[in-house]
Amino acid sequence: MRLDLTPAPNGRRSSFRVALRMARRDIGRHKGRSLLIVLLIMLPVAGMTGAATLFQSSQRTPEEIVEHELGGTQARFSVLPAPNGDSVQDPLNDAMVASSTGIHDPGFVPADPQELLPPGYEVLPLRQLNLSTGIGAALVSLQGRIADALHPAFAGKFTLLAGRAPRSPGEALVSPGLLERFSLRLGDAITTSAGTFVPVGTMRDADASDRSSVIFLQQAQVPEAVLHQGPQSPHSVSYYLVGPEPVTWQQIREANRQGVSVLSRSVVLNPPSLAERTFDGVPPQQPPQDALALFATFGLVAALALLEVGLLAGAAFAVGAKRQVRELALMAASGADVPTVRSVVTSGGLWLGSIAVLSGAALGLCSAAAAVHWVRSSGSARFPGIHPDVPLTLVAMVLGLVCCLLAAMAPANQVARQAALGALKSGRAPAGNGKRTTAAGAALLLVAVALLAAGWLLGESAADPDRKAGQLPLVTSLLIAGAVLAVVALVLLAGYFVSLLTARTGTLPLSLRMAARDSARNRGRTVPAVAAVLAAATLASAALVLSASQQAVMRENHPWNALENQAFLPLSLEQPLLPDGSTQPAVDVDPAELTSALEGALGNVAWTQVVTAPAYVQNCAFGPGVDLSGLARTATSNCLQYSLARAAGNECPVTPERRVVDPEDWRCRGSLAQSTASQRGILVGGANEISAVLGREAGPEALAVLEAGGMVVTNPVFVRDGMAVLEGQDVRTQTQDPAEPFRMHETVTSSTLPAVVVEPAEALPYYGVISPDTARRLDLRPEAAELLVQLSRFPSAAERDAASGAIAAVYQRPDVGFWAEPGITQGDSWMSWSIVAVSALITFSAAGITTGLSLADARADHATLAGIGASPRLRKSLAGSQALLTAGLGTVLGSLAGTVPAMLIAGSTELRTAVDVPWLHLVALLVAVPLAGALLAWFFTRARLPASRRTLGT
């Protein structure tokens, strides 16, 4: 009888059902390992889903824009901050210009929004007003809102949280933050610059935080003198229209031509096309380069995170497949073909991956929703609503499932290819030949290096910043692909590296020699463990480098007004004008009295020093029509301010659109390279002033130049051939120099001085220092200008209020406050070490998981060692040595694979001027992770092994 070897109908489907059933039963028998794999996949999917949901929830929908900003009104008319009439606003953000020629029109005067209000609407004005209240001798500011906040048309924008509506002119509504700030309760009176009011209810502005200090008043409650005191900003008043007719985009364009912006309900809900939002002849705006850099950073971290998850799950699946080897070999011996045997393991990945991605998406969505609800319930306007990002959630689920399937596929192929007879006899898969794997790893490493080199060369090929920004997506894609391939290549080469280490361990202690040889003999156990730690270390080191570089570029771009934790207090304070418009003499303050008051109010005053500078501008008439025939400086007035001229040839190269060609160019960096000076731009003093203000010690050359009548300059762009030009500018004049846009006044005096450069610790707004003799020789009229206060730490809000009260009593002026330079390093060290802690935790988790799986797989080996008389101490040392070898090799390779691509990505974005490698943190990671893994393995290895039956074939 002939055998019918044709495949049975639907045979493949039946075998797949059998594989699913066997995989499900194996999952039930090994609940601990299955739960571990589910958690490994679930947590990153939950993290990506939660992050996408939180980001999307921070973006307002058109419906939320209308509700939170307009309430039930049709439109809002305000002043548009535009340089000319050829500007078009953003239809969803009336405070932002979406398209403009950018040419400043000096004759352009914005119209009053009230003059452009269309007829037929009820008008509800809203005025923002700066008010103040007294705390001790000082006056602190708070915000005033003059509007009919309880009008039905404002429902959704303003909400009464507690209390009742005001019933008399002495009652008001306030924000919850005002009550908290001033320790008030409803019914307690508060005295402001607009009068004394009793809060009777708390009001929430949907577009602002509850923590802000706001008092809501009616027009009749505020005196006219308060409404018109000081210069009134045209942006302080908005007009809301109530009516049935919508305001169209055509009406908005007409209002924009007159300098008025409009937020329209109908336009927000049905925005115009991109072509209609652009002014004729103006190209559409491109996304900023910092946004592209942020996306590139997140892309690299997400890719490495997914790779780490796949490798961790792969290690777990490898151990699970080894546990199944006899069962799968029996299947093969009974006639199951290779695809069926393979599908049993991959079906486990399908089961576990499906459970993981579904639970991860649910966990991420629920966690993000809870976070948004908690933030909104606390009164923050950071999240306008809960917005699940369905596309990104689906992408995260698909990627997580793919990672799980790929992680299961490698051990499935290995088990399916093994010899059935050998597995039945020995109970374990025979060791394979690693030459192909090593060759594939070497080839992939070459491809990864080529991708990284191509990305770096492409990023460096363009000198034009606009072209460089256009190439950034391709550059970052090449670098991310190269980084991922480099990790894969190192994973494939891990067995080769283990063999190299084994050949060089002859002089090491016994436990380390045994660990090295066991690792080389059991590559199926060692390589997944090394790979998982390698991926985790890659992610950690890349995050460290990118975070450190971002902090460094923030530090470079920070607008420093002084060194960190320093404050400048004026020693001569101008008085307000008299009712007849005449001036009052300035009030001089004793530095010793000011120092004593500050030391009494603050406990963190390190030292104080008087700063001397040329005479400030005072009693000088400005504006059009000013008589310029008079002297710029007299005995009672001064219209001169001093600065250094940028030396010829030291101009910062910029594109026609005023973009800096090369931010690393020395002509574009340092003090005042691309900013204006403060009033104390020129300092008068010597070594003490240089040390105190600039944060640098003056060397012998600098002191010699000062003694010889020269100047210590903060930036070499102001020096040419050892000379600097000190100019006096008449602030009554106006000029515009395209080469130096920050120079706005005509030069009337000029002096050439010998100069030496002493760059300050930060990019401070000072030109430099001259000696008192030089200042008198140049008739700069030096005078004690300010008291420099150095604090040992940044003051808290309560300490700043206390300092304001103390100095207000000295100045006899309640409106004088206290401000210290915060810098950007407040908490930076803590932030860096927190990133190290999180990165180490990720790597610890990877090392712990893989070490536990390896120990579980090596239990038979430890039983054999115990059977031949090995002491518990030796077995515990062997377990620790195995973890040390695995975690150490993975951490070293991962740090290399993460640091290099992160440096290249940072160097291809706006971070390129501040690529920073935190060596101390990386060294801490390299040392702490292997040692911690070894200690954990030593501690959790049992001194006594439980008795077990001898397995057939062993």
Side-chain angles (χ1 to χ4, degrees):
M1 180 179 179
R2 296 180 59 185
L3 294 176
D4 185 7
L5 300 179
T6 59
N10 299 324
R12 183 60 61 195
R13 185 182 305 172
S14 299
S15 64
F16 183 67
R17 285 199 299 266
V18 172
L20 286 175
R21 190 181 305 117
M22 294 185 63
R24 177 171 54 81
R25 291 174 179 174
D26 182 73
I27 291 172
R29 285 195 303 268
H30 302 90
K31 295 183 178 63
R33 186 185 73 235
S34 302
L35 178 61
L36 176 63
I37 296 174
V38 168
L39 290 176
L40 289 174
I41 303 296
M42 182 186 71
L43 292 178
V45 171
M48 289 185 287
T49 301
T53 303
L54 288 176
F55 175 78
Q56 197 65 27
S57 298
S58 66
Q59 310 299 311
R60 296 188 299 177
T61 63
E63 292 77 11
E64 289 168 344
I65 294 175
V66 167
E67 180 183 3
H68 295 169
E69 297 201 30
L70 295 178
T73 63
Q74 281 290 350
R76 176 178 66 198
F77 280 66
S78 309
V79 173
L80 180 67
N84 51 48
D86 298 332
S87 301
V88 181
Q89 70 170 75
D90 189 314
L92 305 183
N93 186 354
D94 57 337
M96 185 175 70
V97 176
S99 179
S100 176
T101 59
I103 301 175
H104 177 68
D105 183 3
F108 175 70
V109 178
D112 187 349
Q114 191 173 12
E115 299 175 356
L116 301 183
L117 299 179
Y121 294 91
E122 179 185 358
V123 179
L124 299 177
L126 186 149
R127 179 190 294 269
Q128 300 181 19
L129 194 66
N130 291 324
L131 303 177
S132 61
T133 186
I135 295 183
L139 290 177
V140 297
S141 63
L142 56 93
Q143 303 173 40
R145 298 284 190 275
I146 303 176
D148 187 5
L150 295 179
H151 192 284
F154 279 138
K157 176 174 176 59
F158 297 117
T159 305
L160 183 64
L161 298 178
R164 58 174 177 83
R167 298 171 184 170
S168 66
E171 296 178 342
L173 299 173
V174 298
S175 65
L178 185 142
L179 297 179
E180 180 182 356
R181 177 183 177 185
F182 300 110
S183 301
L184 298 176
R185 293 178 298 178
L186 294 180
D188 296 341
I190 179 173
T191 301
T192 71
S193 54
T196 300
F197 303 96
V198 176
V200 295
T202 54
M203 178 72 73
R204 170 175 293 171
D205 186 348
D207 203 34
S209 172
D210 284 354
R211 293 181 178 272
S212 56
S213 302
V214 184
I215 183 169
F216 297 87
L217 302 170
Q218 298 283 344
Q219 179 79 26
Q221 293 179 283
V222 183
E224 288 293 328
V226 175
L227 291 176
H228 299 93
Q229 67 180 1
Q232 296 298 310
S233 171
H235 304 276
S236 62
V237 184
S238 300
Y239 300 92
Y240 293 79
L241 305 184
V242 182
E245 294 296 325
V247 177
T248 64
W249 179 246
Q250 184 62 33
Q251 290 176 286
I252 295 177
R253 289 292 301 268
E254 294 175 359
N256 291 165
R257 295 187 183 95
Q258 301 183 58
V260 174
S261 66
V262 183
L263 186 68
S264 170
R265 173 184 295 270
S266 63
V267 172
V268 171
L269 297 178
N270 298 283
S273 63
L274 293 178
E276 295 177 285
R277 305 183 194 184
T278 305
F279 187 78
D280 297 338
V282 178
Q285 292 184 349
Q286 299 295 326
Q289 191 172 0
D290 54 354
L292 296 175
L294 183 64
F295 293 152
T297 300
F298 281 129
L300 176 63
V301 172
L304 294 178
L306 287 172
L307 186 60
E308 177 204 357
V309 169
L311 292 173
L312 279 173
F317 277 118
V319 174
K322 287 187 176 184
R323 295 291 182 181
Q324 289 179 278
V325 66
R326 286 185 54 79
E327 179 182 349
L328 298 175
L330 285 171
M331 285 184 57
S334 61
D337 56 358
V338 171
T340 301
V341 176
R342 183 190 302 116
S343 63
V344 173
V345 181
T346 54
S347 296
L350 181 62
W351 276 110
L352 296 176
S354 300
I355 296 173
V357 297
L358 289 174
S359 56
L363 177 63
L365 289 173
C366 293
S367 301
V372 171
H373 177 73
W374 179 78
V375 171
R376 286 177 55 81
S377 64
S378 65
S380 174
R382 183 183 300 273
F383 297 109
I386 301 173
H387 308 149
D389 195 325
V390 177
L392 286 180
T393 299
L394 292 176
V395 168
M397 294 175 65
V398 170
L399 290 177
L401 184 58
V402 168
C403 283
C404 192
L405 291 175
L406 292 177
M409 197 171 293
N413 289 331
Q414 180 183 359
V415 173
R417 288 196 307 265
Q418 72 182 9
L421 181 60
L424 289 172
K425 290 174 59 178
S426 64
R428 63 177 62 233
N433 191 349
K435 292 183 178 180
R436 292 184 179 179
T437 302
T438 302
L444 273 182
L445 187 60
L446 293 176
V447 174
V449 172
L451 287 175
L452 292 174
W456 181 76
L457 291 174
L458 181 62
E460 295 295 321
S461 63
D464 184 17
D466 298 332
R467 184 182 174 190
K468 192 181 286 284
Q471 293 177 345
L472 186 59
L474 177 59
V475 170
T476 53
S477 298
L478 290 173
L479 294 176
I480 291 174
V484 173
L485 283 183
V487 175
V488 175
L490 291 176
V491 168
L492 295 176
L493 291 172
Y496 175 71
F497 292 134
V498 170
S499 300
L500 288 181
L501 289 177
T502 304
R504 291 164 176 79
T505 56
T507 59
L508 295 179
L510 175 62
S511 60
L512 286 174
R513 294 200 308 270
M514 292 178 63
R517 292 170 182 173
D518 181 74
S519 299
R521 186 174 62 253
N522 296 282
R523 293 188 183 183
R525 173 200 309 160
T526 306
V527 171
V530 173
V533 178
L534 185 153
T538 301
L539 176 63
S541 57
L544 282 174
V545 173
L546 292 173
S547 174
S549 299
Q550 287 176 346
Q551 293 179 32
V553 79
M554 286 173 58
R555 188 177 185 89
E556 282 196 355
N557 296 333
H558 180 72
W560 293 92
N561 291 297
L563 293 177
E564 188 175 354
N565 298 333
Q566 283 188 351
F568 282 90
L569 299 177
L571 298 178
S572 181
L573 202 64
E574 291 189 2
Q575 297 299 303
L577 297 177
L578 295 173
D580 59 358
S582 58
T583 60
Q584 302 182 73
V587 174
D588 296 330
V589 179
D590 183 10
E593 183 182 1
L594 197 58
T595 299
S596 177
L598 275 177
E599 291 177 344
L602 298 175
N604 56 344
V605 177
W607 48 262
T608 61
Q609 181 170 329
V610 176
V611 174
T612 303
Y616 286 169
V617 173
Q618 57 182 352
N619 299 332
C620 183
F622 297 93
V626 174
D627 183 15
L628 300 179
S629 60
L631 296 176
R633 186 169 61 183
T634 65
T636 58
S637 66
N638 178 35
C639 294
L640 286 182
Q641 70 178 14
Y642 297 93
S643 63
L644 290 182
R646 187 184 292 262
N650 290 351
E651 295 82 6
C652 177
V654 295
T655 64
E657 290 78 19
R658 306 300 301 173
R659 291 190 178 93
V660 177
V661 174
D662 184 9
E664 297 184 3
D665 194 318
W666 66 274
R667 296 168 294 181
C668 307
R669 301 169 64 87
S671 296
L672 302 176
Q674 300 184 54
S675 61
T676 57
S678 64
Q679 286 188 336
R680 53 185 183 277
I682 305 295
L683 302 177
V684 179
N688 292 335
E689 283 72 17
I690 294 174
S691 175
V693 179
L694 303 185
R696 300 293 189 193
E697 295 298 329
E701 182 183 2
L703 296 178
V705 169
L706 283 180
E707 295 263 343
M711 183 176 184
V712 172
V713 180
T714 59
N715 197 324
V717 298
F718 303 114
V719 179
R720 186 176 182 85
D721 298 331
M723 307 297 288
V725 178
L726 178 63
E727 297 178 339
Q729 298 174 345
D730 190 344
V731 298
R732 299 173 299 176
T733 61
Q734 299 293 326
T735 185
Q736 187 171 5
D737 187 356
E740 294 191 55
F742 300 112
R743 185 179 296 271
M744 298 178 293
H745 308 295
E746 295 181 1
T747 300
V748 295
T749 65
S750 179
S751 303
T752 302
L753 303 173
V756 64
V757 177
V758 175
E759 297 191 33
E762 307 294 349
L764 302 172
Y766 312 130
Y767 288 107
V769 182
I770 58 176
S771 66
D773 293 339
T774 304
R776 286 189 289 269
R777 175 172 59 85
L778 299 176
D779 193 24
L780 302 186
R781 303 182 185 180
E783 58 185 23
E786 292 174 314
L787 178 69
L788 171 60
V789 182
Q790 177 67 62
L791 306 177
S792 58
R793 56 176 173 80
F794 190 72
S796 64
E799 290 174 329
R800 293 195 298 271
D801 286 342
S804 298
I807 64 176
V810 176
Y811 285 117
Q812 298 296 314
R813 287 275 299 275
D815 58 339
V816 177
F818 180 81
W819 181 88
E821 171 60 53
I824 64 165
T825 60
Q826 301 294 331
D828 277 1
S829 177
W830 171 85
M831 183 182 301
S832 299
W833 283 108
S834 66
I835 295 174
V836 173
V838 173
S839 304
L841 181 61
I842 294 173
T843 315
F844 287 156
S845 301
I849 291 169
T850 54
T851 300
L853 293 171
S854 298
L855 290 176
D857 186 53
R859 184 175 297 174
D861 296 339
H862 282 265
T864 302
L865 284 175
I868 63 175
S871 65
R873 180 178 180 182
L874 176 61
R875 290 188 291 102
K876 291 172 75 72
S877 299
L878 174 60
S881 299
Q882 288 173 330
L884 180 66
L885 179 65
T886 301
L889 181 59
T891 305
V892 170
L893 295 178
S895 299
L896 180 64
T899 301
V900 174
M903 292 176 60
L904 294 178
I905 285 183
S908 301
T909 63
E910 91 286 353
L911 305 177
R912 61 185 179 274
T913 59
V915 177
D916 186 17
V917 180
W919 296 112
L920 178 62
H921 305 85
L922 287 175
V923 170
L925 192 68
L926 286 170
V927 173
V929 171
L931 289 180
L935 289 175
L936 290 175
W938 186 91
F939 182 78
F940 284 104
T941 299
R942 295 182 180 182
R944 292 185 177 181
L945 291 175
S948 59
R949 292 182 302 174
R950 183 176 181 270
T951 305
L952 181 63
T954 60

